[in-house]
Amino acid sequence: MRPKLTLKQIAKELDVSISTVSKALRDSPEIGEDTREKIKAFAKFYNYKPNNIALSLKNRKTKTIGIIIPEIVHHFFTTVISGVEKVANEMGYNVIICLSDNSFDKEVINMEMLANGSTDGFIMSLAKETMQKGDYHHLIEVISQGMPLVLFDRVVDQILCDKVIIDDVLGAQKAVQHLIDIGCKRIALLSTVDYVSVGKLRTQGYKLALEENDFELDEDLILKIEEMEESEEKIEHFLKDKDVDGIFAVNEHFAISAIKYIQEHGKRVPEDVSVIGFTDGELSKRFIPSLTTVSQHGTRMGEEAARILIEKLEKTPGEDEQYRTVIVETGLVKRNSTKSLK
Amino acid sequence: MRPKLTLKQIAKELDVSISTVSKALRDSPEIGEDTREKIKAFAKFYNYKPNNIALSLKNRKTKTIGIIIPEIVHHFFTTVISGVEKVANEMGYNVIICLSDNSFDKEVINMEMLANGSTDGFIMSLAKETMQKGDYHHLIEVISQGMPLVLFDRVVDQILCDKVIIDDVLGAQKAVQHLIDIGCKRIALLSTVDYVSVGKLRTQGYKLALEENDFELDEDLILKIEEMEESEEKIEHFLKDKDVDGIFAVNEHFAISAIKYIQEHGKRVPEDVSVIGFTDGELSKRFIPSLTTVSQHGTRMGEEAARILIEKLEKTPGEDEQYRTVIVETGLVKRNSTKSLK
DNA sequence: TTGTAGGCGTTATCAA
DNA sequence: TTGATAACGCCTACAA
């Protein structure tokens, strides 16, 4: 076992001072040609690489970005991570990931942990519990310490920081408009509870679309689901006595549960009922019928968030502090779960 | 903006020495009751937290684990990460994730980057390109520097280190046995090229099962796919002139592509052809028909890998160096894509 | 009971 | 052209 080489060891080995070695390796013209070459050759041969930790301590920056997300077993978040990773890597940054598990406490702990020197800034999407509690002291703390924070997807108005979101309202509106365009008359909404911002916004888009087309809003056609676990039975129960010809679901799971129920009860998708989901998942592409969806472009969101964060990180702090909210547009991907009834 | 508090600042503020503050905060009995209380109260009030970077430098350990995986947009890897994260968090470790994108170069760069002080050890699954090249110098380098490495899933015999794998051979064998048990006579195998270890092992299991049941091995019934992108057409082409009644696929995608093709060509799954996939994905559960699968238990693999790594990390290095290979067992999850033909 | 000094690995400043 | 020194933030053996 051969532990990592340090400047000190090189210096001793070559019988020069540490600072000479340091300068030589950084190509300082202060150092004479021959010594420089000798040192560089030695370092190269023994594969010297400076210690990141020491550099971090010295420079007071770690060149790493912290990502905190509610869960990773969720295709959307995975795509976001992948986008962040890509940009971060290109810019010489590392990515450290923590999962809050949708728990407020875990989110706070993770954030404090990373804030103590491990990362230069944060990219995060809030835990459900955090949004429910409305307690954002950990975010405020971090910001007030001068660490940049970029919120994405599950964001919150009260916090002043950069944000990357998708046009939830517009995306939902487009989806419902599509259902209306193909002739649906009774359109149900499968949503989450309102304190999850996306649930609220997508519901808003749904209502807007109805309004614009002079459809009457029927609260009976709206289902708000609290827990992912109970979604399947809630949806079944909800659809039992409803006579709908269109369904807009705020995520993939809800959409698929709905389709399953419909198919199992003697109706067909899309012939009798058209279904649209809000999602980016693999499932929608491969499901039979494949799902018409509002695509979320997670990768793009991740890239955008990383770019914004790194820009903040590399800007001298004095400059005018401004916060941006970038809206990543959604697109309607038409597949086989919707079909014109006309 | 209020930058982070340091020992130095506390010391100045309270007019004592830095070491007094340090000792007081660590409850050293050396420090007098009153000074200690005063210091602790001050620190608590201003929410002092020691700087991780400084601690890492001093202790020469970072308390973080590096994960390097080929890709993250892949449910199996996601579940592994989630398992690692869980155990790591419980033990006070952070997790830093890098993606190799299945590229050898990226894998090497990431590894070197993390090895320069950023992490204490590695958990990784090799890039396809790496296995193809058979160049493992970066792994050897890291190990020889005394950093523990745990390989999972895509492992390689030449490297001496801890490993966490699943019983690919047995899992495949069980799957094929199941197909035989329900009456399949002509069983096709949809696999990957042999240099991907899992492809090779699962092929082995397939052959073993046939052998044990005195089935003749028909190489024409075996398809080896090189690139994920071309899988769909390769499978279609392969199935065109084959008259099979059972299919074993080494992953979810292959299985689903096969089902699609079969259904589109006038046959039914599982009535005419039974299909089993090797996977853990969400897709298999929700696909119609839902897929019978060999489950990989990614979470368990992640937990296991993390436990082994941390154990190594916290053991004094002198102790007898031994490498373990933990085999996580697979299970056959019977769903609706297989059915007895008898 | 408190403080001083040295070191973890690096770089920057200044002196030789 | 090279080297000594201090500093980043923390901890600890030892001195006062």
Side-chain angles (χ1 to χ4, degrees):
Chain A
M1 175 171 130
R2 164 183 52 76
K4 288 234 93 176
L5 200 56
T6 67
L7 287 185
K8 203 184 195 173
Q9 290 167 44
I10 300 182
K12 195 165 75 179
E13 214 64 48
L14 262 40
D15 208 39
V16 289
S17 81
I18 296 179
S19 55
T20 304
V21 178
S22 172
K23 285 173 189 163
L25 293 179
R26 326 197 90 244
D27 273 325
S28 159
E30 286 185 43
I31 305 298
E33 180 88 22
D34 40 351
T35 356
R36 200 184 340 150
E37 285 316 316
K38 185 179 65 178
I39 291 173
K40 289 183 79 168
F42 185 92
K44 178 148 199 178
F45 184 75
Y46 288 106
N47 193 27
Y48 168 81
K49 292 272 167 43
N51 180 311
N52 289 331
I53 296 291
L55 285 180
S56 296
L57 186 59
K58 178 118 243 303
N59 304 329
R60 287 125 138 277
K61 52 175 70 169
T62 61
K63 287 283 214 170
T64 96
I65 293 175
I67 301 187
I68 302 178
I69 49 174
E71 49 195 340
I72 197 173
V73 197
H74 207 296
H75 193 261
F76 169 67
F77 287 119
T78 312
T79 55
V80 174
I81 292 178
S82 154
V84 173
E85 239 274 338
K86 177 158 165 283
V87 172
N89 260 25
E90 281 167 9
M91 313 281 284
Y93 281 76
N94 268 124
V95 171
I96 168 165
I97 298 178
C98 285
L99 311 179
S100 67
D101 243 341
N102 268 319
S103 135
F104 172 75
D105 290 338
K106 270 195 88 178
E107 184 173 288
V108 172
I109 290 174
N110 278 324
M111 194 147 196
E112 287 180 347
M113 174 134 220
L114 296 188
N116 294 323
S118 301
T119 65
D120 295 338
F122 290 95
I123 292 177
M124 68 187 292
S125 184
L126 299 175
K128 211 192 313 175
E129 209 188 335
T130 305
M131 306 199 74
Q132 192 174 3
K133 279 185 104 149
D135 183 346
Y136 310 118
H137 76 273
H138 49 310
L139 307 185
I140 295 172
E141 174 73 14
V142 155
I143 293 173
S144 83
Q145 286 174 3
M147 303 184 78
L149 164 66
V150 178
L151 247 31
F152 75 91
D153 196 54
R154 297 221 204 125
V155 307
V156 95
D157 288 338
Q158 293 98 303
I159 300 296
L160 281 180
C161 66
D162 291 295
K163 287 161 195 163
V164 178
I165 52 176
I166 51 175
D167 54 351
D168 282 290
V169 179
L170 188 58
Q173 198 180 343
K174 279 194 279 192
V176 177
Q177 184 64 52
H178 179 62
L179 290 173
I180 293 174
D181 288 346
I182 61 177
C184 297
K185 296 296 175 203
R186 289 178 54 78
I187 301 171
L189 167 68
L190 306 181
S191 180
T192 60
V193 284
D194 271 354
Y195 58 75
V196 177
S197 58
V198 299
K200 189 168 164 186
L201 295 171
R202 292 170 196 174
T203 300
Q204 221 170 295
Y206 166 83
K207 291 184 178 170
L208 262 171
L210 295 187
E211 214 169 277
E212 285 218 335
N213 292 271
D214 295 322
F215 274 50
E216 204 168 326
L217 176 65
D218 181 353
E219 291 285 352
D220 276 357
L221 291 182
I222 298 179
L223 174 64
K224 302 202 175 183
I225 293 163
E226 176 113 23
E227 287 297 330
M228 219 54 199
E229 289 69 41
E230 55 173 31
S231 63
E232 205 142 342
E233 62 180 293
K234 277 275 170 79
I235 289 171
E236 290 178 10
H237 185 263
F238 171 80
L239 290 176
K240 199 175 301 177
D241 53 340
K242 301 280 186 306
D243 181 32
V244 304
D245 53 10
I247 294 179
F248 169 54
V250 301
N251 64 44
E252 195 171 56
H253 293 287
F254 294 177
I256 281 176
S257 298
I259 293 181
K260 273 198 174 162
Y261 179 85
I262 292 167
Q263 291 183 333
E264 284 164 6
H265 288 75
K267 289 200 175 175
R268 293 159 306 160
V269 175
E271 290 78 0
D272 302 313
V273 185
S274 280
V275 178
I276 297 185
F278 209 113
T279 178
D280 229 7
E282 188 64 13
L283 199 45
S284 14
K285 260 177 270 171
R286 319 212 57 165
F287 200 73
I288 304 179
S290 59
L291 246 67
T292 294
T293 59
V294 180
S295 64
Q296 299 188 61
H297 301 139
T299 313
R300 188 125 41 108
M301 289 185 79
E303 291 170 359
E304 207 61 61
R307 250 191 290 275
I308 294 178
L309 185 67
I310 292 175
E311 194 179 296
K312 277 272 158 72
L313 249 22
E314 310 210 321
K315 194 165 67 178
T316 39
E319 292 172 50
D320 56 329
E321 193 63 90
Q322 285 198 33
Y323 296 120
R324 272 182 293 168
T325 294
V326 171
I327 299 179
V328 173
E329 70 192 8
T330 54
L332 192 66
V333 182
K334 292 176 194 158
R335 296 204 189 86
N336 300 322
S337 67
T338 52
K339 188 183 166 189
S340 177
L341 299 174
K342 290 172 182 169
Chain B
M1 173 170 134
R2 165 182 51 75
K4 288 235 93 177
L5 201 55
T6 68
L7 285 187
K8 201 183 194 177
Q9 291 167 42
I10 300 182
K12 194 165 76 181
E13 213 65 48
L14 262 39
D15 208 38
V16 290
S17 83
I18 296 178
S19 62
T20 304
V21 178
S22 173
K23 286 172 188 165
L25 292 179
R26 330 195 88 244
D27 274 325
S28 158
E30 286 184 43
I31 304 299
E33 179 88 23
D34 40 352
T35 355
R36 201 185 337 151
E37 284 316 315
K38 187 179 64 177
I39 292 173
K40 290 184 80 167
F42 186 92
K44 177 147 201 179
F45 185 74
Y46 288 106
N47 192 28
Y48 169 80
K49 293 271 168 44
N51 180 311
N52 288 330
I53 296 291
L55 285 179
S56 296
L57 187 58
K58 175 124 247 304
N59 303 329
R60 289 127 136 276
K61 51 176 71 170
T62 61
K63 287 284 215 170
T64 96
I65 293 174
I67 301 187
I68 301 180
I69 50 174
E71 48 194 340
I72 197 173
V73 197
H74 207 296
H75 193 261
F76 169 67
F77 287 120
T78 311
T79 55
V80 174
I81 292 178
S82 151
V84 173
E85 237 274 337
K86 178 158 163 283
V87 172
N89 260 26
E90 281 167 9
M91 315 280 283
Y93 282 76
N94 268 125
V95 170
I96 167 164
I97 297 178
C98 285
L99 310 179
S100 67
D101 243 341
N102 267 318
S103 136
F104 173 76
D105 290 338
K106 270 194 89 177
E107 184 174 287
V108 173
I109 291 174
N110 279 325
M111 193 146 197
E112 286 180 348
M113 174 134 223
L114 296 188
N116 295 323
S118 300
T119 65
D120 295 338
F122 289 95
I123 291 178
M124 69 186 292
S125 185
L126 298 175
K128 212 192 312 176
E129 209 188 336
T130 304
M131 306 199 74
Q132 193 174 2
K133 279 184 102 145
D135 183 346
Y136 310 118
H137 76 273
H138 50 309
L139 307 185
I140 296 172
E141 174 73 15
V142 155
I143 293 174
S144 83
Q145 286 173 3
M147 303 185 76
L149 163 68
V150 178
L151 247 31
F152 75 90
D153 196 53
R154 297 219 203 127
V155 307
V156 94
D157 287 339
Q158 295 98 302
I159 299 296
L160 282 180
C161 67
D162 291 295
K163 288 160 194 163
V164 178
I165 51 176
I166 52 175
D167 54 351
D168 282 291
V169 179
L170 188 59
Q173 198 180 346
K174 278 194 280 190
V176 176
Q177 185 63 54
H178 179 62
L179 291 173
I180 293 175
D181 288 345
I182 61 177
C184 296
K185 297 296 176 205
R186 289 178 53 78
I187 301 171
L189 167 66
L190 307 182
S191 182
T192 61
V193 282
D194 270 356
Y195 58 75
V196 176
S197 59
V198 299
K200 189 168 166 185
L201 296 171
R202 291 172 196 173
T203 301
Q204 221 170 294
Y206 165 82
K207 292 182 177 172
L208 261 173
L210 295 187
E211 213 168 280
E212 285 218 333
N213 293 271
D214 295 322
F215 273 52
E216 204 168 326
L217 176 63
D218 180 353
E219 291 285 353
D220 275 357
L221 290 182
I222 298 181
L223 174 64
K224 301 203 175 184
I225 293 163
E226 175 112 23
E227 287 296 332
M228 219 53 199
E229 288 69 40
E230 55 174 29
S231 63
E232 205 141 341
E233 63 180 292
K234 277 274 169 79
I235 289 172
E236 290 178 10
H237 185 263
F238 172 80
L239 289 177
K240 200 176 297 176
D241 53 340
K242 301 278 185 307
D243 182 32
V244 302
D245 53 9
I247 294 177
F248 169 54
V250 302
N251 63 44
E252 194 171 58
H253 293 288
F254 295 176
I256 281 175
S257 298
I259 293 180
K260 273 196 173 162
Y261 180 84
I262 292 167
Q263 290 182 335
E264 284 165 5
H265 288 76
K267 290 199 173 178
R268 294 158 306 160
V269 175
E271 290 78 1
D272 303 314
V273 186
S274 279
V275 179
I276 297 187
F278 209 114
T279 177
D280 229 11
E282 188 62 15
L283 198 46
S284 19
K285 258 178 272 170
R286 319 211 60 165
F287 200 74
I288 302 179
S290 58
L291 246 65
T292 293
T293 60
V294 180
S295 64
Q296 300 188 62
H297 300 138
T299 314
R300 189 128 35 109
M301 290 186 78
E303 290 171 359
E304 208 59 62
R307 251 191 290 275
I308 293 177
L309 185 67
I310 292 175
E311 196 178 292
K312 277 272 158 73
L313 250 21
E314 310 210 321
K315 194 164 67 176
T316 39
E319 291 173 51
D320 58 328
E321 193 63 90
Q322 286 198 30
Y323 297 119
R324 272 181 291 167
T325 294
V326 171
I327 299 179
V328 173
E329 71 191 8
T330 54
L332 192 67
V333 183
K334 292 177 194 159
R335 297 207 187 84
N336 299 323
S337 66
T338 51
K339 189 184 167 189
S340 178
L341 300 174
K342 291 170 182 170

